[in-house]
Amino acid sequence: MASESGSSRIVEGLWRAPGVARATPARLSVDAMGVASVGATQTGEALSSEAFSQLAVSDRVGSIPRRISFADGSSFETRDNDGIDQLLRPYRGPRSGWVHELEKFRPRLIIFVALVLAFAVAIYRFAVPALVEVAVLSTPPVVPQLMSRSVLASLDGTVFEPSGLSPERQKALSADFQKLAALTAPDHPAYTLNFRKGGSIGPNAFALPDGTVVLTDELVELADGKDELVLGVLAHEIGHVEYQHSLRQLYRAAGASALIMLIGGDIGSGTEDILVQGSALLSLSYSRSAESEADRHAVELMYKAGRDPHAIGHFLELIRDKLGDKEERDFLSTHPATPERIADTLRYADQIAGKH
Ligand SMILES: [Zn+2]
């Protein structure tokens, strides 16, 4: 305990002579002239003395004992952090160590957030797309990983069931998928292919922001045993990951205020709900420009892998003919396809295949 007697404050602790392991219970006090003195608790014998401002005091880190080193090599150690802080106050300002650093940083952060907020309110309509880009750029890798894990867990808990595809079929598709993934940018995220029975989601495939790709049995069945077409779809999903489309989708849905919190590093419970809800991800359909970017990526990737660059185009034709717009959450609902999109994709594949 730190106590005050007159102008001198006292902190209890242990004193060690230079190079001696054995500690003596002692008291540290600082007098009105700023001279620190250590005296033995029991005998009152004077042990060390020095101007307090000259002493080396270790930083405050949790409840780790503080150490005060004297020039003569002796030291004084105490768990009375508050007492030491009180003694230090006239020499170092209100706080010490990392607590002090944090205090210095905070006003800047508050000013930054306030400026962003004012900016967003002023030009709300134009601010959202800009904020989405800032949020995507400032997203640490751990965020997409957490988002993906919770989206998949929430879908597993609600609509998905374990895949009924044979292990051999899964293994073959996974091996081809990994070859495609390895052909994308060298810094690509850890791609994984996950098989599920889609249930009410039906024939679909989607990519989560960290490279987790989910493929439903229903989509594989729809392709009538033509795994080349399924691979075209997987290449398309890899395109969505590479262009960070799903992260952008989620951020756009989160809205401006959530984005400002996110950029400021404050993930509130509201933001978290939006980011981890599987149904939110699946209720969002990609924009036409995102679809065409992913299609072109699929065409190029399939060609690079020595496979059919027309696969994604043919798959879109197939699914259009077979499904029309019957299902609510199938591949076409989350990846909207227009006749132009299908034609463009096939034309681009012709071009790629003919050019090389
Ligand atoms: Zn798509």
Side-chain angles (χ1 to χ4, degrees):
M1 282 297 292
S3 56
E4 295 197 25
S5 56
S7 59
S8 119
R9 302 178 183 88
I10 292 168
V11 173
E12 300 281 351
L14 293 170
W15 179 84
R16 284 184 178 86
V20 177
R22 194 173 50 83
T24 309
R27 285 189 172 130
L28 172 79
S29 62
V30 179
D31 67 17
M33 304 299 289
V35 175
S37 313
V38 178
T41 305
Q42 282 168 354
T43 62
E45 179 199 348
L47 300 170
S48 298
S49 176
E50 201 171 333
F52 191 70
S53 55
Q54 300 300 308
L55 296 176
V57 182
S58 66
D59 282 340
R60 180 171 186 158
V61 180
S63 59
I64 293 169
R66 298 283 276 281
R67 191 188 180 89
I68 294 160
S69 309
F70 288 84
D72 64 7
S74 66
S75 66
F76 177 81
E77 226 173 63
T78 180
R79 290 185 179 278
D80 185 0
N81 268 321
D82 293 336
I84 292 293
D85 282 342
Q86 222 178 334
L87 289 178
L88 282 174
R89 197 158 296 150
Y91 307 97
R92 275 201 194 169
R95 295 285 172 92
S96 64
W98 58 269
V99 177
H100 185 52
E101 290 303 310
L102 204 66
E103 290 292 311
K104 277 197 303 196
F105 175 67
R106 253 183 120 142
R108 269 190 293 157
L109 183 68
I110 291 165
I111 290 167
F112 171 74
V113 171
L115 283 174
V116 173
L117 198 71
F119 177 76
V121 168
I123 50 165
Y124 185 84
R125 288 191 55 159
F126 309 101
V128 173
L131 285 170
V132 166
E133 293 310 308
V134 175
V136 166
L137 283 175
S138 60
T139 301
V142 66
V143 172
Q145 283 163 19
L146 286 174
M147 278 164 59
S148 304
R149 213 173 298 156
S150 36
V151 168
L152 191 55
S154 100
L155 287 169
D156 277 339
T158 50
V159 286
F160 284 159
E161 299 210 4
S163 169
L165 289 186
S166 72
E168 295 75 34
R169 193 90 184 275
Q170 293 190 18
K171 227 172 137 183
L173 280 167
S174 287
D176 286 334
F177 170 80
Q178 286 302 336
K179 277 183 209 152
L180 291 176
L183 280 172
T184 54
D187 59 342
H188 68 81
Y191 280 101
T192 56
L193 180 58
N194 302 268
F195 299 90
R196 296 288 190 278
K197 190 183 275 299
S200 66
I201 282 174
N204 207 335
F206 58 90
L208 298 173
D210 73 336
T212 299
V213 173
V214 178
L215 177 64
T216 68
D217 292 0
E218 291 87 340
L219 189 142
V220 178
E221 280 154 25
L222 195 88
D224 282 338
K226 292 180 200 124
D227 282 357
E228 192 74 8
L229 300 190
V230 178
L231 275 186
V233 173
L234 296 177
H236 173 93
E237 295 305 326
I238 289 172
H240 281 310
V241 176
E242 288 298 314
Y243 288 107
Q244 295 179 295
H245 289 150
S246 58
L247 202 59
R248 284 200 175 81
Q249 284 292 86
L250 287 168
Y251 283 167
R252 223 166 277 148
S257 56
L259 284 174
I260 289 161
M261 286 197 288
L262 202 72
I263 294 165
D266 173 18
I267 301 184
S269 60
T271 321
E272 211 176 295
D273 284 350
I274 293 163
L275 295 181
V276 303
Q277 259 175 28
S279 55
L281 183 89
L282 283 176
S283 65
L284 303 166
S285 56
Y286 288 114
S287 67
R288 266 171 72 175
S289 67
E291 282 312 304
S292 104
E293 277 181 333
D295 285 341
R296 290 171 85 87
H297 189 87
V299 168
E300 290 162 12
L301 194 54
M302 289 293 277
Y303 181 80
K304 251 202 242 177
R307 318 210 60 127
D308 182 6
H310 293 85
I312 182 65
H314 288 322
F315 176 82
L316 291 171
E317 284 182 322
L318 182 79
I319 198 168
R320 178 200 59 198
D321 296 345
K322 282 201 175 185
L323 294 182
D325 47 12
K326 276 195 307 236
E327 304 248 359
E328 258 184 28
R329 294 202 283 179
D330 63 23
F331 188 82
L332 285 185
S333 74
T334 47
H335 306 252
T338 56
E340 293 81 29
R341 178 184 161 199
I342 297 173
D344 284 351
T345 305
L346 290 171
R347 200 178 313 124
Y348 187 55
D350 285 342
Q351 200 187 324
I352 290 275
K355 204 162 60 182
H356 297 270

